[in-house]
Structures are given as structure tokens and as C-alpha cells.
Amino acid sequence: MLNSNDGATPESNASSNHADRLAPAEEEVHLVPPLNFAMVETGIFRSGFPESKNFSFLQTLGLRSVICLCPEDYPKTTMEFLRSNGIELYQFGVEGYEEPFVNIPDDTIRDAMKVILDPRNRPVLIHCKRGKHRTGCLVGCLRKLQRWCLPSVFDEYQRFVAAKALVSNQSTGHRKTMDDQKPVVP
Amino acid sequence: MLNSNDGATPESNASSNHADRLAPAEEEVHLVPPLNFAMVETGIFRSGFPESKNFSFLQTLGLRSVICLCPEDYPKTTMEFLRSNGIELYQFGVEGYEEPFVNIPDDTIRDAMKVILDPRNRPVLIHCKRGKHRTGCLVGCLRKLQRWCLPSVFDEYQRFVAAKALVSNQSTGHRKTMDDQKPVVP
């Protein structure tokens, strides 16, 4: 394991998961995070709608619950994935709109926030369809509770709204640097 | 404290920090994260160049080290902030270029990665000038070690490259929803 050079830090459940996620590829399996996936806080993740190709990745997060902000039912395969991994589903159906947005009802935000703030539900994944507006709004409210100033809250919100998926025209230089990386043994 | 509803999860250092960051505002002090700030992994953060207005926020992260990818010296106030908070500085000076990019030397990536992968250095903040290209390249290499598929690595990279700071023309509806949030007591 790459980060076996420990001894100073007591490892918790969360950091063990973390260590696993830093482990080198024993076999060359590529994990596919859901669209617009990101870590919000320790034990709090955000993304677009999870698909079956994301299941292997999601298993590495050790999720206890998922907050789904879409009104649609999950496909059978997704329900089965949650069941077999012991993941609780909290669904708060909010309609998705293009601009101009409608407000998400206060009660929905409040109820979803209660789920996030209860540590027994974490690690938790918050998601909507594209991981932009509905998810971003809930994360923005969390940032306010964390006392982030509003310009920083909006910057983060905007970063996901502006995201274009599957970019293929990156700089060749940067692609090459990342592509060349072999596991580093400290 | 909002998330005192615990009992199921043993709390580690990391999650105690996390709990603190979820605590409600006792006094109305707004924290200002550095430009393009985000959590990469448990105990790994990324951002643009930290300024003195970010010090209060950075203190909430309980950092043990900072990886600076810029060749410039820190201002005196920043050096003093690191010293008084017991934060180790690892500087790997990489010149910043506009496109077309030059490659970051393999050795630099390798040395910076060793710092990240040693848990004794975490929590760690990785930063360059704007938290885009140099930081994004290092984070991209970390994602490769985590076996992320390349399109997802590039999506994340691109999310920060495309970021526009201090957006002020967000949807009024969404601003209002976030602005209205009062602390939620579960």
C-alpha cells in the first residue's frame, strides 16, 4: 500500500476508506465516478445521477446513504445496488428546471440538511440529475452553515454549473504528464 | 453543536475537524476560503494562492503542511501564519505559463506526490497561483493513482480551469434560497 508510512496518525473508519482509495492499481481497472463528482466535506460527496457504470467507484466510498433530489424513481439495478450495499435512500423530489429557476421549497432543504448533519448517515452522496443546480443549492446551504462568505459559496456553485462533461481537448502537455504517472513509492 | 446527534460513529481527529466546520455561527463571522478552494480527499485540499484574508478559514482545516507549486517566496505574514500554526511548507517551484503549457518535470510531480501520500503530512493544502493548471495537474496524477478513468480526471481538471472567480450574476432564486438559510436543528 502506498501510504503505509503511517504511525503518527490514528486511523479512523473514514481515513481507512481514504487509504484504500489511495492504493495503487493491483489490476488495471478504471473507476468511473458519476458525472460532476466531488467531495464536499469528509463523508459528504456530490454528483450527477449515478449510473450502473459508477457502481464500482461508489463502492469505494463506503456510503451509508444517498440523498436523491430528483422526483424520478431509480432503475431496478440502482435499487438493487443500494440494497446489497446497505445504503439508505433519502429521496426529496425537486423538479429540475432550466433558468429561470424556481426556488427549492424551504422544507425540502431543511429535511435534506437534517440527513446530512446526522453523522449516522455519513458517508452520504447528494445528487440530482447533472449535479449542478439542485445539488449545488443544497451544498450552498451547507457552506452557509459553515460560515463561508457568499462570494465563495457562489464561486463553488458556479464551478459545477459551468462544468462541461467529457472534455477531450485538454492541453496535450498536461494530458501527457498525467498519463505518464506511475505509482510513486515514497 | 448541530451534529451532536452522534453515538454510532467513533470520531477521529479528521472528523472532529469536520464537525467543527459544520458548527453553526456563534457570531456572524464569515470565513473566506482561498480562490478555487476545494476538498480533494479526506485531509487533502486544493486552492489558489492563500492570502491573509483566508487565514481564519485555513485555521479551521487544521493543516499540517502546505505544498506550494509557485517559485515565488511567500509574504512575511504568510510565513508567520505557517510558523505560528505549526504548518510545514513544501515548496516545489514550477513556472506558471499560459497555454501552450510546458510539462511539469516528472521529478517535481513525484516529490510532491510523496509529500501528499505520507499521512503524517495531512491535512495538506496543495496550491499554485490560481489553483488551476499546476494544482490541477498534481491532483490529476493523484486521481490516476486512485484509478479514476481519464475522462473523469479531465472533467475535474477542466472544472477548475474554467472557473470564473467572484461570480455576481447568479440566479436570484438560488441566491435567495441560500441566503435565507438559518441553522437547522435536527
Side-chain angles (χ1 to χ4, degrees):
Chain A
M1 213 156 78
L2 286 184
N3 54 355
S4 58
N5 189 12
D6 201 350
T9 328
E11 293 287 332
S12 69
N13 281 344
S15 50
S16 302
N17 285 341
H18 169 226
D20 292 346
R21 291 202 298 279
L22 287 181
E26 289 180 8
E27 41 191 73
E28 206 43 45
V29 179
H30 287 139
L31 299 172
V32 185
L35 179 72
N36 270 334
F37 173 83
M39 194 171 206
V40 178
E41 258 298 343
T42 304
I44 305 178
F45 306 95
R46 62 180 290 170
S47 76
F49 210 91
E51 300 178 16
S52 53
K53 68 181 175 189
N54 311 127
F55 290 168
S56 299
F57 173 80
L58 291 174
Q59 275 178 323
T60 69
L61 305 179
L63 295 175
R64 283 185 182 161
S65 57
V66 166
I67 294 176
C68 172
L69 298 172
C70 302
E72 300 89 349
D73 285 342
Y74 273 175
K76 255 188 181 167
T77 48
T78 309
M79 288 307 292
E80 176 52 32
F81 171 78
L82 295 187
R83 202 200 52 72
S84 63
N85 287 275
I87 300 169
E88 192 78 32
L89 171 62
Y90 295 93
Q91 187 161 21
F92 301 98
V94 177
E95 291 294 339
Y97 291 89
E98 296 299 319
E99 299 190 67
F101 306 119
V102 293
N103 289 343
I104 301 178
D106 277 8
D107 283 356
T108 305
I109 291 284
R110 208 171 285 271
D111 290 345
M113 201 65 87
K114 283 179 192 167
V115 174
I116 297 169
L117 294 178
D118 185 340
R120 291 171 300 185
N121 295 322
R122 298 196 294 254
V124 58
L125 173 69
I126 306 162
H127 82 84
C128 54
K129 188 77 184 165
R130 295 183 299 164
K132 294 184 173 185
H133 299 296
R134 288 168 279 188
T135 298
C137 201
L138 189 57
V139 170
C141 294
L142 179 70
R143 296 309 190 193
K144 274 222 64 180
L145 289 184
Q146 294 181 293
R147 300 192 283 146
W148 282 33
C149 66
L150 274 180
S152 297
V153 174
F154 293 131
D155 278 353
E156 180 180 50
Y157 180 91
Q158 183 64 23
R159 199 183 300 143
F160 288 87
V161 169
K164 292 271 183 294
L166 299 174
V167 172
S168 59
N169 60 348
Q170 299 298 321
S171 146
T172 318
H174 277 61
R175 285 193 86 121
K176 190 174 174 306
T177 306
M178 290 188 237
D179 225 11
D180 282 352
Q181 285 310 301
K182 301 291 181 301
V184 181
V185 182
Chain B
M1 214 155 79
L2 285 184
N3 54 355
S4 58
N5 189 12
D6 202 351
T9 328
E11 293 287 332
S12 69
N13 281 344
S15 49
S16 303
N17 286 340
H18 169 227
D20 291 346
R21 292 203 297 279
L22 286 181
E26 289 180 9
E27 44 190 73
E28 208 42 48
V29 180
H30 288 140
L31 299 173
V32 184
L35 180 71
N36 270 334
F37 173 83
M39 192 170 205
V40 177
E41 257 299 343
T42 305
I44 305 177
F45 306 94
R46 63 180 288 169
S47 76
F49 210 92
E51 301 178 14
S52 53
K53 67 181 176 190
N54 310 128
F55 290 169
S56 299
F57 173 81
L58 291 174
Q59 275 178 322
T60 70
L61 305 179
L63 295 174
R64 282 185 181 161
S65 57
V66 167
I67 294 177
C68 172
L69 298 172
C70 301
E72 299 89 348
D73 285 342
Y74 273 176
K76 253 188 184 168
T77 49
T78 308
M79 288 306 293
E80 176 53 31
F81 171 78
L82 296 187
R83 202 200 52 72
S84 63
N85 287 276
I87 301 169
E88 192 78 31
L89 171 62
Y90 295 93
Q91 186 160 21
F92 301 98
V94 177
E95 290 295 337
Y97 292 90
E98 295 300 318
E99 298 189 66
F101 305 118
V102 293
N103 290 344
I104 300 177
D106 277 8
D107 283 356
T108 305
I109 290 284
R110 208 171 287 271
D111 290 345
M113 200 66 86
K114 283 181 193 166
V115 174
I116 296 169
L117 295 177
D118 185 340
R120 291 172 298 186
N121 295 323
R122 300 195 294 252
V124 58
L125 173 70
I126 306 161
H127 82 85
C128 54
K129 188 78 185 163
R130 294 182 300 165
K132 295 184 173 186
H133 299 296
R134 287 168 280 188
T135 299
C137 201
L138 188 56
V139 170
C141 295
L142 180 69
R143 296 309 191 193
K144 275 221 64 179
L145 288 184
Q146 293 181 293
R147 300 191 284 144
W148 282 33
C149 66
L150 273 182
S152 298
V153 175
F154 293 131
D155 278 353
E156 182 181 50
Y157 180 91
Q158 184 62 24
R159 199 183 300 142
F160 288 87
V161 169
K164 292 271 182 296
L166 299 174
V167 172
S168 58
N169 59 348
Q170 299 297 323
S171 147
T172 318
H174 278 59
R175 284 192 87 121
K176 190 178 173 304
T177 306
M178 290 187 238
D179 225 12
D180 283 350
Q181 286 310 301
K182 301 291 180 300
V184 181
V185 182

